[in-house]
Amino acid sequence: MFRFKNFSLSHHRSTLKIGTDSVLLSALVPIGHKTNILDIGTGCGIIAFCLADKHRKLTIPPTQILGIDIDKDSIKEADENNSTFPPIQNLSVNFRKESVQDLAQNGDQTFDLIVSNPPYFSASLKPATASLEKSKHRDDNLSFQDLINSIIQLLDNNGEFYLILPVAEFAEFEKLTRNRLFLKYYCQIHPKKNKPVNRIVAGFQKIFVGNFTETTLAIRDETGNYTKEYRQLTEEFYWNLK
């Protein structure tokens, strides 16, 4: 059981365990007054629940968060986590075993915020277990092209899509978005202040906005301690970062 400040989650049966990437993405996504949110590849529901927790402090109209995943054990665990998640007024969280391709093709539902910590490995060695392969290898499950096509279909005209990727994979992803999705936010993540960037958190929208917000964040300082910026960013989720 992984314990956050306001809730706890089980994650031992889902395809992707709770880690820094999902929490970092959740912390950086500006939820504003988004009322119809989709989490693609939800796993145990970590991003969906973190975004729900961010709504706890807001006065919002009725809001729905939907998490989808192709792995049945992940959805089962997300549903179990949902049964113990502290209720939030005017907010509902639901999970469904479904691919984003099927959701885009079969329905007319759109979302004003879509988030994903998507599969990204293609050329590297695949893990021994099928569930881990689903979580981070996109070969047969979710190509970047499929993801982009689905986002374009599912995103409101004024909606926003956020994801986190390693640097090389983000460059590949961004190339495929040219003239289809447009950068709104771009954050380079350093694991340590003296280390190269290893993750990109980016926000896209369907309408060209010209200049976009560009920033950087270091998770740890040169001594290995969490930076003040990272502590402030994630303090709403964690009890205490050491």
Side-chain angles (χ1 to χ4, degrees), residues 1-9 23 53 86 226 230-242:
M1 187 71 71
F2 194 102
R3 300 188 184 281
F4 291 92
K5 186 178 293 186
N6 296 316
F7 59 96
S8 298
L9 299 177
V23 175
D53 194 55
Y226 287 111
Y230 183 72
R231 289 174 184 272
Q232 290 176 340
L233 180 69
T234 59
E235 65 182 357
E236 61 188 317
F237 299 136
Y238 293 129
W239 282 106
N240 186 28
L241 286 176
K242 297 181 179 180

Side-chain angles (χ1 to χ4, degrees), residues 25 86 100 151 163 176 191 209-210:
L25 175 62
V100 68
I151 295 301
L163 85 169
L176 294 171
V209 292

Side-chain angles (χ1 to χ4, degrees), residues 118-126 136-139 144 166 169:
Y120 50 76
F121 291 132
S122 59
S124 56
L125 293 174
K126 292 187 175 183
K136 282 301 167 195
H137 288 265
R138 67 180 189 268
D139 295 349
F144 284 163
E169 285 75 11

Side-chain angles (χ1 to χ4, degrees), residues 28-78:
L28 286 171
V29 169
I31 55 174
H33 286 80
K34 305 298 187 184
T35 60
N36 203 12
I37 300 170
L38 175 66
D39 173 24
I40 300 169
T42 192
C44 68
I46 169 60
I47 296 176
F49 290 121
C50 282
L51 294 183
D53 194 55
K54 289 176 75 169
H55 273 89
R56 190 181 303 277
K57 299 177 181 179
L58 301 177
T59 301
I60 56 172
T63 298
Q64 297 181 339
I65 299 177
L66 172 64
I68 60 172
D69 203 295
I70 61 173
D71 181 69
K72 64 179 182 180
D73 289 332
S74 294
I75 293 299
K76 183 177 180 180
E77 191 160 46

Side-chain angles (χ1 to χ4, degrees), residues 48-209:
F49 290 121
C50 282
L51 294 183
D53 194 55
K54 289 176 75 169
H55 273 89
R56 190 181 303 277
K57 299 177 181 179
L58 301 177
T59 301
I60 56 172
T63 298
Q64 297 181 339
I65 299 177
L66 172 64
I68 60 172
D69 203 295
I70 61 173
D71 181 69
K72 64 179 182 180
D73 289 332
S74 294
I75 293 299
K76 183 177 180 180
E77 191 160 46
D79 281 334
E80 291 171 358
N81 286 329
N82 203 15
S83 68
T84 61
F85 186 77
I88 300 173
Q89 188 174 8
N90 287 334
L91 182 101
S92 65
V93 182
N94 295 285
F95 298 97
R96 195 156 73 214
K97 182 182 178 298
E98 187 171 14
S99 71
V100 68
Q101 298 97 319
D102 286 343
L103 181 63
Q105 182 177 358
N106 297 334
D108 55 3
Q109 186 176 12
T110 59
F111 301 86
D112 53 14
L113 177 62
I114 301 177
V115 293
S116 185
N117 178 7
Y120 50 76
F121 291 132
S122 59
S124 56
L125 293 174
K126 292 187 175 183
T129 63
S131 63
L132 285 177
E133 180 177 326
K134 286 180 184 178
S135 73
K136 282 301 167 195
H137 288 265
R138 67 180 189 268
D139 295 349
D140 300 318
N141 299 313
L142 182 62
S143 69
F144 284 163
Q145 192 64 70
D146 279 352
L147 178 59
I148 292 165
N149 290 342
S150 299
I151 295 301
I152 291 171
Q153 183 71 26
L154 291 167
L155 193 63
D156 284 350
N157 287 335
N158 294 314
E160 299 173 11
F161 166 60
Y162 283 80
L163 85 169
I164 185 168
L165 284 172
V167 176
E169 285 75 11
F170 178 78
E172 180 185 349
F173 180 88
E174 186 186 17
K175 185 176 181 180
L176 294 171
T177 67
R178 298 285 166 80
N179 299 317
R180 305 185 72 200
L181 292 171
F182 301 95
L183 266 178
K184 177 183 178 67
Y185 176 83
Y186 180 83
C187 182
Q188 298 182 88
I189 309 297
H190 296 263
K192 290 179 70 174
K193 281 192 173 181
N194 56 351
K195 297 290 185 180
V197 173
N198 72 338
R199 292 288 189 274
I200 302 293
V201 172
F204 293 86
Q205 60 185 39
K206 294 166 74 172
I207 299 172
F208 179 67
V209 292

